[in-house]
Amino acid sequence: MTPSPPIAPAFQRELDPLLLLPARLFVLGQLVDMRWRRVVVVGSAPGVGARSLAPHLMTLRAAGYVETRFERGSLVLRLTPLGLDGLTEHVTALRSVANTAADLVTARRAPPIRCAVTGDGPMR
């Protein structure tokens, strides 16, 4: 009998590998209103260097997350419905990861519980 693969937590299945790189996540975040934007505007925003933008755009375009066209001599791009769905699922999964991490940190840093009757030391 072949062992079955381990079951990944839901958030891990919903995280989009294409959006794990901050530059790609940032680009899609700027396009969330689904309007056409000039590439130079997207590339001039903090966190995304104009030089490193091209390979990220090629990857996002190949995945169907953004579409591009030339308009008045400038390259423009916008988020597609597929890209919006992927971004929404990814951000929701990231929020779940962050909330789980915050809960773990809070639980780890919580003061010890004192005995309600005597007020002495941690309960065990």
PDB file of all heavy atoms in Angstrom, residues 88-122:
ATOM      1  N   THR A  88      -7.199  37.580  -4.125  1.00  0.00           N
ATOM      2  CA  THR A  88      -8.122  37.532  -2.994  1.00  0.00           C
ATOM      3  C   THR A  88      -7.904  36.273  -2.158  1.00  0.00           C
ATOM      4  O   THR A  88      -7.812  36.335  -0.925  1.00  0.00           O
ATOM      5  CB  THR A  88      -9.581  37.602  -3.487  1.00  0.00           C
ATOM      6  OG1 THR A  88      -9.747  38.812  -4.231  1.00  0.00           O
ATOM      7  CG2 THR A  88     -10.569  37.570  -2.338  1.00  0.00           C
ATOM      8  N   GLU A  89      -7.795  35.118  -2.813  1.00  0.00           N
ATOM      9  CA  GLU A  89      -7.567  33.862  -2.095  1.00  0.00           C
ATOM     10  C   GLU A  89      -6.225  33.890  -1.375  1.00  0.00           C
ATOM     11  O   GLU A  89      -6.111  33.437  -0.233  1.00  0.00           O
ATOM     12  CB  GLU A  89      -7.608  32.679  -3.056  1.00  0.00           C
ATOM     13  CG  GLU A  89      -8.999  32.309  -3.502  1.00  0.00           C
ATOM     14  CD  GLU A  89      -9.005  31.101  -4.424  1.00  0.00           C
ATOM     15  OE1 GLU A  89      -8.040  30.289  -4.373  1.00  0.00           O
ATOM     16  OE2 GLU A  89      -9.961  30.978  -5.202  1.00  0.00           O
ATOM     17  N   HIS A  90      -5.208  34.415  -2.041  1.00  0.00           N
ATOM     18  CA  HIS A  90      -3.871  34.459  -1.460  1.00  0.00           C
ATOM     19  C   HIS A  90      -3.840  35.357  -0.221  1.00  0.00           C
ATOM     20  O   HIS A  90      -3.298  34.973   0.821  1.00  0.00           O
ATOM     21  CB  HIS A  90      -2.864  34.949  -2.512  1.00  0.00           C
ATOM     22  CG  HIS A  90      -1.451  34.917  -2.040  1.00  0.00           C
ATOM     23  ND1 HIS A  90      -0.731  33.752  -1.927  1.00  0.00           N
ATOM     24  CD2 HIS A  90      -0.623  35.916  -1.652  1.00  0.00           C
ATOM     25  CE1 HIS A  90       0.486  34.037  -1.486  1.00  0.00           C
ATOM     26  NE2 HIS A  90       0.580  35.338  -1.312  1.00  0.00           N
ATOM     27  N   VAL A  91      -4.433  36.536  -0.326  1.00  0.00           N
ATOM     28  CA  VAL A  91      -4.442  37.469   0.807  1.00  0.00           C
ATOM     29  C   VAL A  91      -5.251  36.896   1.977  1.00  0.00           C
ATOM     30  O   VAL A  91      -4.864  37.027   3.141  1.00  0.00           O
ATOM     31  CB  VAL A  91      -4.967  38.857   0.369  1.00  0.00           C
ATOM     32  CG1 VAL A  91      -5.240  39.745   1.560  1.00  0.00           C
ATOM     33  CG2 VAL A  91      -3.974  39.506  -0.584  1.00  0.00           C
ATOM     34  N   THR A  92      -6.344  36.215   1.671  1.00  0.00           N
ATOM     35  CA  THR A  92      -7.133  35.573   2.719  1.00  0.00           C
ATOM     36  C   THR A  92      -6.304  34.500   3.425  1.00  0.00           C
ATOM     37  O   THR A  92      -6.318  34.399   4.658  1.00  0.00           O
ATOM     38  CB  THR A  92      -8.422  34.963   2.133  1.00  0.00           C
ATOM     39  OG1 THR A  92      -9.181  36.017   1.528  1.00  0.00           O
ATOM     40  CG2 THR A  92      -9.249  34.259   3.183  1.00  0.00           C
ATOM     41  N   ALA A  93      -5.566  33.704   2.655  1.00  0.00           N
ATOM     42  CA  ALA A  93      -4.708  32.668   3.243  1.00  0.00           C
ATOM     43  C   ALA A  93      -3.584  33.302   4.056  1.00  0.00           C
ATOM     44  O   ALA A  93      -3.244  32.806   5.143  1.00  0.00           O
ATOM     45  CB  ALA A  93      -4.142  31.772   2.146  1.00  0.00           C
ATOM     46  N   LEU A  94      -3.001  34.386   3.553  1.00  0.00           N
ATOM     47  CA  LEU A  94      -1.951  35.083   4.312  1.00  0.00           C
ATOM     48  C   LEU A  94      -2.496  35.597   5.640  1.00  0.00           C
ATOM     49  O   LEU A  94      -1.825  35.521   6.678  1.00  0.00           O
ATOM     50  CB  LEU A  94      -1.387  36.251   3.507  1.00  0.00           C
ATOM     51  CG  LEU A  94      -0.395  35.922   2.413  1.00  0.00           C
ATOM     52  CD1 LEU A  94      -0.026  37.187   1.642  1.00  0.00           C
ATOM     53  CD2 LEU A  94       0.846  35.264   2.972  1.00  0.00           C
ATOM     54  N   ARG A  95      -3.706  36.123   5.601  1.00  0.00           N
ATOM     55  CA  ARG A  95      -4.336  36.620   6.833  1.00  0.00           C
ATOM     56  C   ARG A  95      -4.495  35.471   7.829  1.00  0.00           C
ATOM     57  O   ARG A  95      -4.251  35.630   9.025  1.00  0.00           O
ATOM     58  CB  ARG A  95      -5.681  37.255   6.516  1.00  0.00           C
ATOM     59  CG  ARG A  95      -6.326  37.896   7.730  1.00  0.00           C
ATOM     60  CD  ARG A  95      -7.611  38.619   7.387  1.00  0.00           C
ATOM     61  NE  ARG A  95      -7.295  39.816   6.618  1.00  0.00           N
ATOM     62  CZ  ARG A  95      -7.903  40.160   5.487  1.00  0.00           C
ATOM     63  NH1 ARG A  95      -8.867  39.412   4.984  1.00  0.00           N
ATOM     64  NH2 ARG A  95      -7.573  41.261   4.853  1.00  0.00           N
ATOM     65  N   SER A  96      -4.893  34.298   7.347  1.00  0.00           N
ATOM     66  CA  SER A  96      -5.047  33.134   8.214  1.00  0.00           C
ATOM     67  C   SER A  96      -3.707  32.734   8.827  1.00  0.00           C
ATOM     68  O   SER A  96      -3.621  32.427  10.024  1.00  0.00           O
ATOM     69  CB  SER A  96      -5.637  31.971   7.409  1.00  0.00           C
ATOM     70  OG  SER A  96      -5.688  30.809   8.188  1.00  0.00           O
ATOM     71  N   VAL A  97      -2.659  32.751   8.031  1.00  0.00           N
ATOM     72  CA  VAL A  97      -1.329  32.420   8.528  1.00  0.00           C
ATOM     73  C   VAL A  97      -0.909  33.428   9.603  1.00  0.00           C
ATOM     74  O   VAL A  97      -0.425  33.052  10.680  1.00  0.00           O
ATOM     75  CB  VAL A  97      -0.295  32.408   7.380  1.00  0.00           C
ATOM     76  CG1 VAL A  97       1.124  32.317   7.913  1.00  0.00           C
ATOM     77  CG2 VAL A  97      -0.573  31.271   6.415  1.00  0.00           C
ATOM     78  N   ALA A  98      -1.110  34.712   9.318  1.00  0.00           N
ATOM     79  CA  ALA A  98      -0.719  35.754  10.271  1.00  0.00           C
ATOM     80  C   ALA A  98      -1.520  35.643  11.567  1.00  0.00           C
ATOM     81  O   ALA A  98      -0.963  35.788  12.656  1.00  0.00           O
ATOM     82  CB  ALA A  98      -0.902  37.133   9.639  1.00  0.00           C
ATOM     83  N   ASN A  99      -2.815  35.377  11.467  1.00  0.00           N
ATOM     84  CA  ASN A  99      -3.648  35.239  12.665  1.00  0.00           C
ATOM     85  C   ASN A  99      -3.222  34.035  13.500  1.00  0.00           C
ATOM     86  O   ASN A  99      -3.176  34.101  14.728  1.00  0.00           O
ATOM     87  CB  ASN A  99      -5.125  35.140  12.302  1.00  0.00           C
ATOM     88  CG  ASN A  99      -5.693  36.454  11.823  1.00  0.00           C
ATOM     89  OD1 ASN A  99      -5.157  37.518  12.104  1.00  0.00           O
ATOM     90  ND2 ASN A  99      -6.779  36.384  11.084  1.00  0.00           N
ATOM     91  N   THR A 100      -2.927  32.921  12.819  1.00  0.00           N
ATOM     92  CA  THR A 100      -2.472  31.729  13.535  1.00  0.00           C
ATOM     93  C   THR A 100      -1.152  32.001  14.239  1.00  0.00           C
ATOM     94  O   THR A 100      -0.970  31.640  15.407  1.00  0.00           O
ATOM     95  CB  THR A 100      -2.332  30.540  12.564  1.00  0.00           C
ATOM     96  OG1 THR A 100      -3.599  30.284  11.964  1.00  0.00           O
ATOM     97  CG2 THR A 100      -1.836  29.294  13.272  1.00  0.00           C
ATOM     98  N   ALA A 101      -0.228  32.657  13.544  1.00  0.00           N
ATOM     99  CA  ALA A 101       1.061  32.997  14.157  1.00  0.00           C
ATOM    100  C   ALA A 101       0.868  33.929  15.352  1.00  0.00           C
ATOM    101  O   ALA A 101       1.498  33.749  16.397  1.00  0.00           O
ATOM    102  CB  ALA A 101       1.977  33.631  13.117  1.00  0.00           C
ATOM    103  N   ALA A 102      -0.002  34.909  15.205  1.00  0.00           N
ATOM    104  CA  ALA A 102      -0.263  35.839  16.308  1.00  0.00           C
ATOM    105  C   ALA A 102      -0.848  35.111  17.511  1.00  0.00           C
ATOM    106  O   ALA A 102      -0.466  35.380  18.661  1.00  0.00           O
ATOM    107  CB  ALA A 102      -1.202  36.953  15.848  1.00  0.00           C
ATOM    108  N   ASP A 103      -1.760  34.178  17.256  1.00  0.00           N
ATOM    109  CA  ASP A 103      -2.350  33.402  18.353  1.00  0.00           C
ATOM    110  C   ASP A 103      -1.281  32.575  19.064  1.00  0.00           C
ATOM    111  O   ASP A 103      -1.274  32.485  20.296  1.00  0.00           O
ATOM    112  CB  ASP A 103      -3.458  32.477  17.836  1.00  0.00           C
ATOM    113  CG  ASP A 103      -4.693  33.233  17.380  1.00  0.00           C
ATOM    114  OD1 ASP A 103      -4.829  34.441  17.704  1.00  0.00           O
ATOM    115  OD2 ASP A 103      -5.522  32.611  16.676  1.00  0.00           O
ATOM    116  N   LEU A 104      -0.381  31.970  18.294  1.00  0.00           N
ATOM    117  CA  LEU A 104       0.682  31.163  18.897  1.00  0.00           C
ATOM    118  C   LEU A 104       1.618  32.024  19.738  1.00  0.00           C
ATOM    119  O   LEU A 104       2.009  31.641  20.843  1.00  0.00           O
ATOM    120  CB  LEU A 104       1.471  30.433  17.808  1.00  0.00           C
ATOM    121  CG  LEU A 104       0.728  29.316  17.088  1.00  0.00           C
ATOM    122  CD1 LEU A 104       1.531  28.828  15.893  1.00  0.00           C
ATOM    123  CD2 LEU A 104       0.438  28.173  18.049  1.00  0.00           C
ATOM    124  N   VAL A 105       1.965  33.181  19.222  1.00  0.00           N
ATOM    125  CA  VAL A 105       2.852  34.085  19.969  1.00  0.00           C
ATOM    126  C   VAL A 105       2.160  34.561  21.241  1.00  0.00           C
ATOM    127  O   VAL A 105       2.756  34.571  22.321  1.00  0.00           O
ATOM    128  CB  VAL A 105       3.278  35.283  19.091  1.00  0.00           C
ATOM    129  CG1 VAL A 105       3.956  36.359  19.913  1.00  0.00           C
ATOM    130  CG2 VAL A 105       4.192  34.804  17.973  1.00  0.00           C
ATOM    131  N   THR A 106       0.909  34.936  21.123  1.00  0.00           N
ATOM    132  CA  THR A 106       0.161  35.405  22.288  1.00  0.00           C
ATOM    133  C   THR A 106       0.061  34.303  23.337  1.00  0.00           C
ATOM    134  O   THR A 106       0.281  34.551  24.530  1.00  0.00           O
ATOM    135  CB  THR A 106      -1.245  35.876  21.870  1.00  0.00           C
ATOM    136  OG1 THR A 106      -1.105  36.927  20.922  1.00  0.00           O
ATOM    137  CG2 THR A 106      -2.044  36.365  23.068  1.00  0.00           C
ATOM    138  N   ALA A 107      -0.232  33.099  22.929  1.00  0.00           N
ATOM    139  CA  ALA A 107      -0.346  31.976  23.867  1.00  0.00           C
ATOM    140  C   ALA A 107       1.002  31.696  24.522  1.00  0.00           C
ATOM    141  O   ALA A 107       1.068  31.382  25.716  1.00  0.00           O
ATOM    142  CB  ALA A 107      -0.857  30.734  23.152  1.00  0.00           C
ATOM    143  N   ARG A 108       2.044  31.808  23.775  1.00  0.00           N
ATOM    144  CA  ARG A 108       3.391  31.529  24.288  1.00  0.00           C
ATOM    145  C   ARG A 108       3.829  32.587  25.290  1.00  0.00           C
ATOM    146  O   ARG A 108       4.547  32.311  26.211  1.00  0.00           O
ATOM    147  CB  ARG A 108       4.354  31.489  23.104  1.00  0.00           C
ATOM    148  CG  ARG A 108       5.667  30.921  23.408  1.00  0.00           C
ATOM    149  CD  ARG A 108       5.509  29.434  23.494  1.00  0.00           C
ATOM    150  NE  ARG A 108       6.736  28.822  23.081  1.00  0.00           N
ATOM    151  CZ  ARG A 108       7.152  27.696  23.580  1.00  0.00           C
ATOM    152  NH1 ARG A 108       6.447  27.069  24.463  1.00  0.00           N
ATOM    153  NH2 ARG A 108       8.270  27.178  23.171  1.00  0.00           N
ATOM    154  N   ARG A 109       3.387  33.825  25.084  1.00  0.00           N
ATOM    155  CA  ARG A 109       3.803  34.931  25.936  1.00  0.00           C
ATOM    156  C   ARG A 109       2.800  35.232  27.050  1.00  0.00           C
ATOM    157  O   ARG A 109       3.011  36.123  27.834  1.00  0.00           O
ATOM    158  CB  ARG A 109       4.000  36.192  25.096  1.00  0.00           C
ATOM    159  CG  ARG A 109       5.103  36.019  24.088  1.00  0.00           C
ATOM    160  CD  ARG A 109       5.321  37.294  23.319  1.00  0.00           C
ATOM    161  NE  ARG A 109       6.737  37.419  23.079  1.00  0.00           N
ATOM    162  CZ  ARG A 109       7.549  38.244  23.722  1.00  0.00           C
ATOM    163  NH1 ARG A 109       7.091  39.064  24.609  1.00  0.00           N
ATOM    164  NH2 ARG A 109       8.831  38.273  23.444  1.00  0.00           N
ATOM    165  N   ALA A 110       1.713  34.488  27.094  1.00  0.00           N
ATOM    166  CA  ALA A 110       0.694  34.734  28.118  1.00  0.00           C
ATOM    167  C   ALA A 110       1.281  34.461  29.501  1.00  0.00           C
ATOM    168  O   ALA A 110       2.055  33.529  29.678  1.00  0.00           O
ATOM    169  CB  ALA A 110      -0.517  33.841  27.877  1.00  0.00           C
ATOM    170  N   PRO A 111       0.906  35.275  30.485  1.00  0.00           N
ATOM    171  CA  PRO A 111       1.411  35.034  31.839  1.00  0.00           C
ATOM    172  C   PRO A 111       0.857  33.715  32.362  1.00  0.00           C
ATOM    173  O   PRO A 111      -0.223  33.278  31.961  1.00  0.00           O
ATOM    174  CB  PRO A 111       0.865  36.221  32.631  1.00  0.00           C
ATOM    175  CG  PRO A 111      -0.267  36.751  31.838  1.00  0.00           C
ATOM    176  CD  PRO A 111       0.007  36.404  30.412  1.00  0.00           C
ATOM    177  N   PRO A 112       1.589  33.081  33.253  1.00  0.00           N
ATOM    178  CA  PRO A 112       1.094  31.809  33.806  1.00  0.00           C
ATOM    179  C   PRO A 112      -0.229  32.020  34.552  1.00  0.00           C
ATOM    180  O   PRO A 112      -0.455  33.076  35.131  1.00  0.00           O
ATOM    181  CB  PRO A 112       2.207  31.368  34.756  1.00  0.00           C
ATOM    182  CG  PRO A 112       3.151  32.501  34.878  1.00  0.00           C
ATOM    183  CD  PRO A 112       2.846  33.496  33.798  1.00  0.00           C
ATOM    184  N   ILE A 113      -1.061  31.030  34.509  1.00  0.00           N
ATOM    185  CA  ILE A 113      -2.357  31.091  35.178  1.00  0.00           C
ATOM    186  C   ILE A 113      -2.146  30.791  36.665  1.00  0.00           C
ATOM    187  O   ILE A 113      -1.520  29.797  37.026  1.00  0.00           O
ATOM    188  CB  ILE A 113      -3.340  30.070  34.565  1.00  0.00           C
ATOM    189  CG1 ILE A 113      -3.543  30.396  33.092  1.00  0.00           C
ATOM    190  CG2 ILE A 113      -4.664  30.072  35.322  1.00  0.00           C
ATOM    191  CD1 ILE A 113      -4.310  29.335  32.347  1.00  0.00           C
ATOM    192  N   ARG A 114      -2.658  31.651  37.514  1.00  0.00           N
ATOM    193  CA  ARG A 114      -2.530  31.477  38.966  1.00  0.00           C
ATOM    194  C   ARG A 114      -3.718  30.670  39.487  1.00  0.00           C
ATOM    195  O   ARG A 114      -4.815  30.733  38.935  1.00  0.00           O
ATOM    196  CB  ARG A 114      -2.486  32.839  39.651  1.00  0.00           C
ATOM    197  CG  ARG A 114      -1.331  33.676  39.184  1.00  0.00           C
ATOM    198  CD  ARG A 114      -0.462  34.030  40.360  1.00  0.00           C
ATOM    199  NE  ARG A 114       0.754  34.671  39.902  1.00  0.00           N
ATOM    200  CZ  ARG A 114       1.965  34.179  40.161  1.00  0.00           C
ATOM    201  NH1 ARG A 114       2.103  33.048  40.814  1.00  0.00           N
ATOM    202  NH2 ARG A 114       3.033  34.813  39.761  1.00  0.00           N
ATOM    203  N   CYS A 115      -3.500  29.984  40.529  1.00  0.00           N
ATOM    204  CA  CYS A 115      -4.554  29.194  41.167  1.00  0.00           C
ATOM    205  C   CYS A 115      -5.648  30.144  41.656  1.00  0.00           C
ATOM    206  O   CYS A 115      -5.379  31.090  42.386  1.00  0.00           O
ATOM    207  CB  CYS A 115      -3.979  28.387  42.340  1.00  0.00           C
ATOM    208  SG  CYS A 115      -5.228  27.430  43.214  1.00  0.00           S
ATOM    209  N   ALA A 116      -6.870  29.897  41.259  1.00  0.00           N
ATOM    210  CA  ALA A 116      -7.975  30.771  41.597  1.00  0.00           C
ATOM    211  C   ALA A 116      -8.291  30.739  43.099  1.00  0.00           C
ATOM    212  O   ALA A 116      -8.766  31.708  43.658  1.00  0.00           O
ATOM    213  CB  ALA A 116      -9.221  30.376  40.794  1.00  0.00           C
ATOM    214  N   VAL A 117      -7.992  29.628  43.742  1.00  0.00           N
ATOM    215  CA  VAL A 117      -8.336  29.482  45.142  1.00  0.00           C
ATOM    216  C   VAL A 117      -7.288  30.133  46.047  1.00  0.00           C
ATOM    217  O   VAL A 117      -7.595  30.956  46.903  1.00  0.00           O
ATOM    218  CB  VAL A 117      -8.502  27.986  45.516  1.00  0.00           C
ATOM    219  CG1 VAL A 117      -8.755  27.811  47.007  1.00  0.00           C
ATOM    220  CG2 VAL A 117      -9.614  27.370  44.714  1.00  0.00           C
ATOM    221  N   THR A 118      -6.024  29.801  45.814  1.00  0.00           N
ATOM    222  CA  THR A 118      -4.976  30.285  46.711  1.00  0.00           C
ATOM    223  C   THR A 118      -4.218  31.484  46.161  1.00  0.00           C
ATOM    224  O   THR A 118      -3.559  32.189  46.914  1.00  0.00           O
ATOM    225  CB  THR A 118      -3.947  29.168  46.993  1.00  0.00           C
ATOM    226  OG1 THR A 118      -3.280  28.836  45.776  1.00  0.00           O
ATOM    227  CG2 THR A 118      -4.623  27.962  47.580  1.00  0.00           C
ATOM    228  N   GLY A 119      -4.264  31.664  44.843  1.00  0.00           N
ATOM    229  CA  GLY A 119      -3.501  32.753  44.231  1.00  0.00           C
ATOM    230  C   GLY A 119      -2.030  32.408  44.088  1.00  0.00           C
ATOM    231  O   GLY A 119      -1.216  33.238  43.725  1.00  0.00           O
ATOM    232  N   ASP A 120      -1.671  31.170  44.394  1.00  0.00           N
ATOM    233  CA  ASP A 120      -0.281  30.737  44.315  1.00  0.00           C
ATOM    234  C   ASP A 120       0.076  30.267  42.916  1.00  0.00           C
ATOM    235  O   ASP A 120      -0.772  29.779  42.185  1.00  0.00           O
ATOM    236  CB  ASP A 120      -0.024  29.572  45.290  1.00  0.00           C
ATOM    237  CG  ASP A 120      -0.151  30.009  46.741  1.00  0.00           C
ATOM    238  OD1 ASP A 120       0.035  31.211  46.992  1.00  0.00           O
ATOM    239  OD2 ASP A 120      -0.445  29.136  47.577  1.00  0.00           O
ATOM    240  N   GLY A 121       1.313  30.363  42.585  1.00  0.00           N
ATOM    241  CA  GLY A 121       1.958  29.834  41.388  1.00  0.00           C
ATOM    242  C   GLY A 121       1.063  29.327  40.272  1.00  0.00           C
ATOM    243  O   GLY A 121      -0.149  29.302  40.395  1.00  0.00           O
ATOM    244  N   PRO A 122       1.684  28.945  39.185  1.00  0.00           N
ATOM    245  CA  PRO A 122       0.931  28.455  38.021  1.00  0.00           C
ATOM    246  C   PRO A 122       0.188  27.161  38.334  1.00  0.00           C
ATOM    247  O   PRO A 122       0.667  26.335  39.065  1.00  0.00           O
ATOM    248  CB  PRO A 122       1.998  28.215  36.959  1.00  0.00           C
ATOM    249  CG  PRO A 122       3.279  28.765  37.488  1.00  0.00           C
ATOM    250  CD  PRO A 122       3.120  29.001  38.953  1.00  0.00           C
TER     251      PRO A 122
END
